[in-house]
Amino acid sequence: MTCIFCQILARELPGEIVYEDEFLAVIKDISPEAPVHLLIIPKRHFDSVNSLDEETSQIGGKMLLAAKKMAEAQGIQSGYKILINTGRDVGQDIRHLHMHLMGGWGRKPFRR
Ligand code: 5GP
Ligand code: ZN
């Protein structure tokens, strides 16, 4: 059974792919909750963080680094949020591991 994100990455379903390399792809969220809202998706299918182990944990680092690079590319490196919903109790909707990258709201003062 293929999932919706596997199908988008395989170009079997439409999706705005903004970056792609050997390990992962980045698409625009179809229903953005921030001015910049991207999804960082490993090409290999994992249901969630719970599917990672010692051997596959490096994909987490690659996703994190992709988030940093995409934040730079989108001009939001001065402030962004990254989020990985994991499991049905927090409403993980798509069961293919993905990281949300959100930002672009504008500058807020640091609290001292
Ligand atoms: P989750 O709750 O699983 O972390 O979030 C899934 C995200 O995927 C949601 O923000 C939702 O808007 C997005 N999404 C769901 N279906 C599609 C789709 O077909 N294409 C794209 N680009 N994003 C989707
Ligand atoms: Zn998948």
Side-chain angles (χ1 to χ4, degrees):
M1 194 189 81
T2 46
C3 80
I4 193 167
F5 283 174
C6 280
Q7 287 178 296
I8 289 173
L9 300 197
R11 271 83 173 166
E12 291 164 10
L13 282 177
E16 249 187 280
I17 299 174
V18 297
Y19 174 82
E20 188 171 23
D21 64 25
E22 196 184 340
F23 298 103
L24 52 85
V26 180
I27 68 171
K28 289 193 180 176
D29 196 292
I30 203 168
S31 178
E33 290 179 19
V36 175
H37 189 168
L38 300 176
L39 301 173
I40 295 151
I41 309 172
K43 288 190 166 173
R44 182 168 163 194
H45 180 100
F46 300 96
D47 280 357
S48 77
V49 168
N50 289 338
S51 311
L52 297 177
D53 57 21
E54 206 61 51
E55 218 173 280
T56 54
S57 63
Q58 51 180 310
I59 194 65
K62 290 187 191 300
M63 291 169 75
L64 204 53
L65 208 56
K68 176 196 156 188
K69 288 179 182 164
M70 292 311 299
E72 281 167 7
Q74 298 280 327
I76 59 166
Q77 69 272 29
S78 60
Y80 53 91
K81 299 184 187 195
I82 53 183
L83 170 72
I84 306 180
N85 287 320
T86 304
R88 69 167 82 107
D89 288 5
V90 296
Q92 182 187 348
D93 207 22
I94 307 282
R95 269 199 291 170
H96 179 133
L97 174 63
H98 56 281
M99 177 184 277
H100 296 254
L101 169 65
M102 288 171 284
W105 294 282
R107 184 157 295 191
K108 294 175 189 161
F110 280 118
R111 274 223 251 165
R112 290 180 191 278

